[in-house]
Amino acid sequence: MLTATLGVVTGKLPSGQPRKVDFVALPLLPEAEELWSCWSEAHGLGPQQAVWFHPRLEGSSAVDDPALEVCREVLAQMVGSPNVVFYPMYWLSEIALEATKVDMPIIGDPEDHRLMPLSAAKGWLHPPVGARERSCLRAVLSGLGGRVRAPKGFVADSAEELREALAQLRRECPAGTRFVLKPTEGSGGCGVVLDASEAHLDAFAFGPSGGSAILEEMIVGRDAPQSPTLYMLGDTPCGPFADQVLADDCSTNLGNRFPSVLQDDDLFSACVKASQEINKTWGMTSNWGLDFVIDKGGDAVIVDINMGRPNGNLAVRLWASLSDSPLTVFTGMWTIPLKGPSIDSIFASLRAANILWNGQEGVIVYQYMPGCPSGYAIASSRGPDGVSQLQARLSKTMLDAHGTVLS
């Protein structure tokens, strides 16, 4: 698998500035080697930018902590490289210790936060059920006013608490309000139940490690649901809104589009202000983000918070920022069958259809995992219409050449 960090290394820099070179750590697997070969040829990457490691599986009796062993192997290969910093997906204490051992500066925000682990930060959106008191989104935004608010909801640790949360929300919300059930540690819409019933509450699987559930009001928006997302770097927005592109169920994320089609400068300013107010509590210094749903009145309701790891398509956005022309970018997923086409043949098909990235627009394939969802991006300097046209051509090419249907 190639991660999206590959996108950072391509593109032109302003005259006189040195090129910044990123490295990407890849498992020594045929699929990854094939994709790297295609990538390096198509995007002018140097062979030294790939740092290879031997794949290790969870549960292997030969290795106690596969992720830590991979980290050690990768860092060992980088010892002595000048001006290199380490940006891990998750800043765990043991990972930071390994970086310290080889004098490798580490950036990001540590997973071990005083409020709660960053991977479980969704649990901060709401207060716990009952009399327990702690900081939460609703409390932080209560005095802010403006066009941004938190949804009404509660965090529960058991089925009994979920039923109590439902009873309390029914008292707080207008008659007929529907509710959403989701895990505090979920991502990408996984585990989200819209219009949750009492049967859904009873069936919720609480994790053995203490995973919690969120029950909150279901935000009813306009006819075409709008779900902008805002990436932050500490207290600074990483450009304008992006859009989460949702399936018809309004919970499954099909991809992301940047910049958003939502043009509302006042709302954007209000969302940035709310983000900065939130960060007074969290103190994030690196990449984090908020997801919103626009309600019928045109106001933004914060429905998700993502802390402690680089957002999934951040690197694609960084890559796009190096372009001479402003780019509209859509990132999505497709599933290549387990015994489907090789990555060489996919690149060949995109090249033959004249839709492979050419410096102004085109398709960028940055993941290839047969049998699993894999990532691609579509970018165009011709705005949303250019992306839509490329998306239609990509759909036809993948269906005609490889029998693969895009979502």
Side-chain angles (χ1 to χ4, degrees):
M1 179 184 74
L2 291 188
T3 68
T5 48
L6 285 174
V8 184
V9 301
T10 62
K12 297 180 180 179
L13 293 177
S15 177
Q17 293 187 18
R19 173 179 287 277
K20 300 286 193 297
V21 176
D22 277 6
F23 298 87
V24 60
L26 303 171
L28 271 169
L29 296 171
E31 294 86 356
E33 292 179 289
E34 291 167 7
L35 182 50
W36 174 257
S37 175
C38 291
W39 244 94
S40 57
E41 178 184 352
H43 302 290
L45 308 185
Q48 79 283 358
Q49 291 172 248
V51 182
W52 299 94
F53 63 86
H54 294 86
R56 299 170 175 85
L57 300 177
E58 294 287 346
S60 170
S61 59
V63 179
D64 291 333
D65 190 334
L68 189 58
E69 286 299 313
V70 166
C71 177
R72 288 169 178 160
E73 183 178 344
V74 169
L75 289 175
Q77 296 182 61
M78 303 304 297
V79 171
S81 299
N83 303 318
V84 172
V85 297
F86 183 38
Y87 190 9
M89 178 64 77
Y90 291 102
W91 180 336
L92 305 174
S93 57
E94 56 267 35
I95 297 294
L97 178 60
E98 295 303 318
T100 301
K101 287 179 181 178
V102 296
D103 295 323
M104 181 74 69
I106 186 170
I107 59 175
D109 291 294
E111 165 74 5
D112 185 15
H113 195 277
R114 60 181 176 80
L115 288 176
M116 61 187 64
L118 295 185
S119 58
K122 292 175 176 62
W124 180 78
L125 286 170
H126 305 291
V129 178
R132 290 169 291 167
E133 296 291 338
R134 66 161 169 78
S135 166
C136 68
L137 178 67
R138 197 191 307 189
V140 167
L141 295 184
S142 60
L144 196 61
R147 299 178 59 189
V148 182
R149 70 173 181 90
K152 295 177 181 178
F154 295 97
V155 175
D157 294 325
S158 66
E160 290 76 16
E161 288 190 353
L162 272 178
R163 288 193 291 272
E164 182 181 344
L166 179 61
Q168 190 160 338
L169 283 171
R170 283 174 171 168
R171 290 193 294 268
E172 291 184 12
C173 298
T177 298
R178 295 178 289 169
F179 301 100
V180 178
L181 175 66
K182 55 189 176 184
T184 58
E185 298 183 4
S187 63
C190 294
V192 174
V193 179
L194 300 180
D195 204 5
S197 66
E198 293 187 39
H200 290 125
L201 308 190
D202 292 336
F204 186 88
F206 289 91
S209 61
S212 302
I214 293 172
L215 187 67
E216 66 185 20
E217 63 173 311
M218 183 172 164
I219 307 302
V220 178
R222 298 164 178 174
D223 292 339
Q226 290 181 301
S227 183
T229 185
L230 178 62
Y231 286 0
M232 300 290 290
L233 188 61
D235 283 336
T236 304
C238 299
F241 283 134
D243 283 325
Q244 296 187 102
V245 181
L246 303 178
D248 291 340
D249 62 11
C250 295
S251 66
T252 304
N253 191 329
L254 299 178
N256 291 272
R257 176 178 50 222
F258 175 81
S260 170
V261 297
L262 178 64
Q263 301 294 327
D264 189 329
D265 292 341
D266 290 339
L267 184 62
F268 177 75
S269 296
C271 289
V272 171
K273 183 178 179 180
S275 301
Q276 293 167 341
E277 192 69 23
I278 289 168
N279 206 32
K280 290 178 182 178
T281 298
W282 283 90
M284 293 288 103
T285 63
S286 190
N287 182 227
W288 63 285
L290 296 173
D291 296 334
F292 305 85
V293 170
I294 307 302
D295 66 17
K296 285 186 176 180
D299 293 338
V301 184
I302 297 173
V303 295
D304 203 358
I305 184 170
N306 298 293
M307 301 283 200
R309 61 175 177 80
N311 283 273
N313 62 4
L314 173 66
V316 175
R317 298 256 298 264
L318 293 175
W319 164 81
S321 73
L322 298 178
S323 174
D324 291 335
S325 304
L327 295 178
T328 299
V329 181
F330 172 85
T331 56
M333 306 289 284
W334 57 29
T335 299
I336 304 297
L338 191 58
K339 295 183 179 180
S342 69
I343 189 62
D344 286 321
S345 63
I346 291 176
F347 267 71
S349 299
L350 299 180
R351 189 176 288 110
N354 197 29
I355 56 175
L356 193 65
W357 172 255
N358 61 13
Q360 291 294 316
E361 64 178 13
V363 179
I364 302 140
V365 184
Y366 60 83
Q367 283 182 328
Y368 175 67
M369 298 182 293
C372 302
S374 300
Y376 68 91
I378 302 171
S380 176
S381 59
R382 295 185 293 123
D385 288 344
V387 169
S388 296
Q389 292 168 17
L390 284 166
Q391 197 164 14
R393 291 169 61 190
L394 174 62
S395 296
K396 185 177 188 307
T397 299
M398 291 301 292
L399 181 61
D400 292 349
H402 306 295
T404 296
V405 178
L406 272 62
S407 299

